[in-house]
Amino acid sequence: MSEAGSRPGCIWVDADACPVPVREMLFRAATRAKVQVTLVANQWLRTPPSPFIRAIQVQGGYDVADDAIAERAAAGDLVVTQDIPLASRVLARGAMAVNPRGERFTADNIAERLSVRNFMEELRGAGVQTGGPSAYGARERQAFAAQLDRWIAQRRS
């Protein structure tokens, strides 16, 4: 069992850049499924009053929130993050990782995702405009909700 609660399978959220609609879905799921949701950020975050929801504020700094999540995530946990290196780290610990757009990181796709990320970072470092992600909309919310529901159902079995 993980540190966040007495039930197996907790949800860890890399909350600094997590879209509000995703946080709201997670808050509803925490109460409905009685699963511990922990938001980790380097700033104070407002959370609804619930025994299943908490926030951890870490010191500011490069990858401090990521390190806190990677140290705590355990097999059976779900980690919500856009950070591909963090996803790789928690996959190695047996946790499931998904980004807020509902894209699941797996052992089969993480190496490719890291390579593309590093390549894009090199391009940006060279001054190439690479553009950003498309707007976060209903399709992305629905894909995330489906991944969350799958994880909750798997957790119960």
Side-chain angles (χ1 to χ4, degrees):
M1 287 192 220
S2 54
E3 173 190 302
S6 59
R7 297 179 61 96
C10 302
I11 300 173
W12 297 94
V13 183
D14 185 1
D16 284 318
C18 185
V20 171
V22 169
R23 279 191 258 163
E24 291 170 351
M25 272 188 263
L26 290 166
F27 295 158
R28 287 190 301 274
T31 301
R32 183 182 76 241
K34 296 180 174 32
V35 60
Q36 183 70 49
V37 172
T38 304
L39 292 96
V40 182
N42 60 20
Q43 60 188 338
W44 180 83
L45 296 170
R46 181 186 314 269
T47 59
S50 169
F52 302 106
I53 302 168
R54 71 180 183 145
I56 297 174
Q57 183 177 355
V58 297
Q59 295 293 318
Y62 189 73
D63 287 343
V64 176
D66 296 351
D67 291 343
I69 293 169
E71 290 167 6
R72 292 169 171 88
D77 289 352
L78 173 64
V79 175
V80 179
T81 184
Q82 297 179 62
D83 187 276
I84 298 168
L86 172 58
S88 178
R89 292 169 68 188
V90 301
L91 286 173
R93 294 182 60 107
M96 179 178 156
V98 65
N99 74 17
R101 294 175 175 272
E103 298 166 344
R104 185 171 173 189
F105 298 103
T106 67
D108 293 333
N109 71 17
I110 197 67
E112 178 184 348
R113 297 279 186 111
L114 282 167
S115 293
V116 170
R117 174 202 173 269
N118 293 339
F119 176 69
M120 296 302 282
E121 198 169 84
E122 286 178 25
L123 286 177
R124 285 188 295 274
V128 175
Q129 295 293 327
T130 59
S134 59
Y136 190 83
R139 178 178 289 141
E140 291 79 13
R141 282 193 299 274
Q142 185 176 20
F144 178 80
Q147 288 288 355
L148 179 61
D149 288 345
R150 267 189 225 104
W151 181 82
I152 289 171
Q154 176 184 349
R155 178 179 170 268
R156 289 182 180 152
S157 56

